[in-house]
Amino acid sequence: MIKNYRFPKFLRFVLGKNILWQQPTENKSIYLTFDDGPTPEVTPKLLDLLDNENVRATFFCVGQNVERFPKLFTEIKNRGHRVGNHTFNHLKCFKTDFYSYINNVKKADELIESNLFRPPHGQISRRIVNALQSDFQIVMWDVITCDYDKMLSAEKILKNVRKYSRNGSIVVFHDSAKAQKNMFATLPDAIKFWKSEGYAFGIL
């Protein structure tokens, strides 16, 4: 996983122009995204939180989880959120051969049916980009919270959210069991901060 809170500029350049890092917008907006779900012990509570805040987001779902929890996947869409592809088995690009990776994305697409794709762990090669870009908008991020990192406190995560957020930022949280403690401890205050700064919330 890329550890920087903001993806390094040189890697953005290397991977090319056809990747979405930050959403161009004339309005002051944040694009909130969640990776790795749907997760029964996390996602329903998160959906309620977002409803209470009147915030819509984009969920990059793991195909295997969608297959296991189809009603929860449908609920995400029914609540007004958008979904994207996060591979079927949450694969690491650099540890998977090219054809297996592409087939895994296609397998997830049969369930998720979205033209949005985000590579797990932030790992993607130029070859993968070239193979997928005709069918998918590849979405990375402008800010990642690292909420999955148990060494980080909620206070530190919130500090980084405040520091790195800017107009058009695509921000990554995770609706996973591993990240839920930090995510739920941070997200309400992050939303409060963004609202106080005049940000609207967009979906990709």
Side-chain angles (χ1 to χ4, degrees):
M1 167 63 78
I2 301 298
K3 293 295 185 181
N4 306 68
Y5 297 105
R6 180 169 289 155
F7 216 99
K9 287 184 178 179
F10 78 93
L11 285 178
R12 298 188 187 205
F13 175 79
V14 168
L15 290 173
K17 299 179 180 180
N18 297 321
I19 295 177
L20 189 62
W21 307 91
Q22 186 180 359
Q23 182 75 311
T25 175
E26 294 181 359
N27 300 318
K28 194 173 183 180
S29 298
I30 289 289
Y31 294 83
L32 192 55
T33 68
F34 296 90
D35 288 2
D36 297 355
T39 309
E41 62 267 41
V42 182
T43 308
K45 182 179 177 182
L46 172 59
L47 292 174
D48 288 343
L49 188 161
L50 295 174
D51 273 354
N52 290 336
E53 295 287 352
N54 195 29
V55 169
R56 297 295 172 263
T58 306
F59 286 73
F60 288 90
C61 298
V62 175
Q64 191 173 43
N65 290 342
V66 173
E67 186 175 65
R68 293 174 63 195
F69 311 111
K71 291 183 180 179
L72 185 51
F73 175 68
T74 299
E75 183 69 12
I76 293 171
K77 295 186 289 183
N78 287 346
R79 298 275 193 112
H81 306 286
R82 193 171 182 194
V83 296
N85 188 325
H86 203 45
T87 75
F88 189 84
N89 296 110
H90 203 258
L91 296 183
K92 292 183 177 181
C93 172
F94 302 145
K95 293 186 176 182
T96 309
D97 73 84
F98 173 79
Y99 292 105
S100 294
Y101 191 92
I102 295 299
N103 288 334
N104 201 266
V105 173
K106 291 179 178 179
K107 184 177 180 180
D109 184 50
E110 292 175 3
L111 295 167
I112 297 168
E113 297 182 325
S114 170
N115 70 334
L116 300 180
F117 173 74
R118 173 177 284 159
H121 309 282
Q123 293 185 5
I124 196 165
S125 67
R126 185 69 241 178
R127 188 182 183 193
I128 296 290
V129 171
N130 291 340
L132 294 180
Q133 63 185 2
S134 62
D135 295 318
F136 296 95
Q137 170 63 69
I138 299 170
V139 181
M140 298 298 271
W141 61 78
D142 190 48
V143 180
I144 188 167
T145 62
C146 298
D147 52 351
Y148 52 82
D149 188 343
K150 294 182 179 180
M151 299 300 292
L152 285 178
S153 67
E155 290 77 14
K156 176 64 174 176
I157 293 170
L158 184 61
K159 180 179 179 181
N160 290 327
V161 166
R162 291 171 182 254
K163 179 178 180 179
Y164 291 102
S165 295
R166 56 185 175 179
N167 188 34
S169 281
I170 298 171
V171 182
V172 183
F173 282 90
H174 297 77
D175 57 325
S176 65
K178 182 179 181 180
Q180 65 174 321
K181 181 178 179 181
N182 274 338
M183 187 269 287
F184 283 124
T186 307
L187 182 59
D189 288 331
I191 291 173
K192 182 178 180 180
F193 164 73
W194 287 318
K195 287 183 175 180
S196 72
E197 292 292 307
Y199 287 104
F201 294 86
I203 56 175
L204 297 174

